[in-house]
Amino acid sequence: MSHTIQILVGVSILVSTVVIAAIFWWVGSRTQPQQDYKSVTERGYRLRREYFWGLLIVSILLFGVGIYSFPYPQIVESRVTGKPFVVKVMSSQFMFDMSETEVPRGWVRFDVMANDVNHGFGIYKDGWLIAQTQAMPDYVNRLYVNFTEPGKYEVWCLEYCGLAHHIMMTEFEVK
Ligand SMILES: [Cu+2]
């Protein structure tokens, strides 16, 4: 699986390199004798203005539509149906202590905390990251996940937290 992704990444880099080289060649091949400065700047400034306003409008529209998909707890909370199953997670160098190791399907709320330094709390299913939040001292970060697929899930620390960071993991099961 990871092999396929690496080949895909390699091919995309190769293709984009060729495309960028072609654009450079195209621009280079179209060079002309020097023109009157004013005729160039007028067109350039107009394009820049149109580009700015176009980009601004597109960004505002995308933000307005996209904000409802942002993973902020206040936004996700409004979509949660029923009472979520709550799991308390304490992170410390270099382990996770979870109040539950089996959770039901449906909405689960992880209350993620840390008692020493910053850690990451990343949930993986079959090697794919499906949700993540930070684990921070003195804060409780709520992470809502709607589990539809039963099976084993892995949790890995996603924030470098010390020498044994790379082995900081735990598992839980969705029933
Ligand atoms: Cu870590």
Side-chain angles (χ1 to χ4, degrees):
M1 183 62 97
S2 62
H3 237 79
T4 325
I5 292 171
Q6 280 176 20
I7 290 169
L8 198 70
V9 169
V11 170
S12 336
I13 288 173
L14 196 68
V15 168
S16 43
T17 305
V18 170
V19 168
I20 290 169
I23 292 172
F24 270 80
W25 175 84
W26 180 73
V27 170
S29 71
R30 280 170 44 101
T31 50
Q32 291 164 3
Q34 195 172 1
Q35 280 179 35
D36 173 35
Y37 190 60
K38 202 160 172 261
S39 70
V40 178
T41 50
E42 258 175 24
R43 185 154 171 265
Y45 289 156
R46 203 189 61 233
L47 276 177
R48 190 170 67 176
R49 220 172 22 246
E50 285 166 0
Y51 185 70
F52 170 76
W53 286 110
L55 202 62
L56 190 71
I57 290 165
V58 168
S59 310
I60 289 172
L61 285 177
L62 283 180
F63 182 78
V65 174
I67 182 119
Y68 296 102
S69 310
F70 285 10
Y72 296 133
Q74 295 87 338
I75 294 170
V76 180
E77 227 157 47
S78 66
R79 290 205 303 267
V80 173
T81 47
K83 218 172 145 49
F85 186 85
V86 178
V87 180
K88 292 204 181 307
V89 183
M90 181 53 84
S91 325
S92 47
Q93 288 165 320
F94 298 96
M95 56 173 287
F96 294 103
D97 186 13
M98 291 181 51
S99 63
E100 315 284 339
T101 51
E102 283 181 11
V103 305
R105 262 176 278 178
W107 284 103
V108 174
R109 190 185 85 207
F110 295 91
D111 290 348
V112 181
M113 297 163 279
N115 61 11
D116 41 31
V117 299
N118 270 26
H119 297 277
F121 179 78
I123 301 175
Y124 287 80
K125 172 87 174 117
D126 302 326
W128 292 92
L129 180 66
I130 59 161
Q132 70 95 24
T133 190
Q134 287 271 307
M136 301 150 76
D138 298 331
Y139 286 91
V140 181
N141 287 328
R142 288 167 293 152
L143 176 67
Y144 287 92
V145 184
N146 189 12
F147 290 104
T148 51
E149 227 183 298
K152 276 224 179 309
Y153 288 71
E154 287 183 353
V155 174
W156 287 91
C157 178
L158 293 181
E159 184 75 50
Y160 182 72
C161 56
L163 276 182
H165 159 71
H166 62 287
I167 57 162
M168 180 166 168
M169 69 88 67
T170 189
E171 284 179 341
F172 65 92
E173 191 161 359
V174 173
K175 286 278 180 185

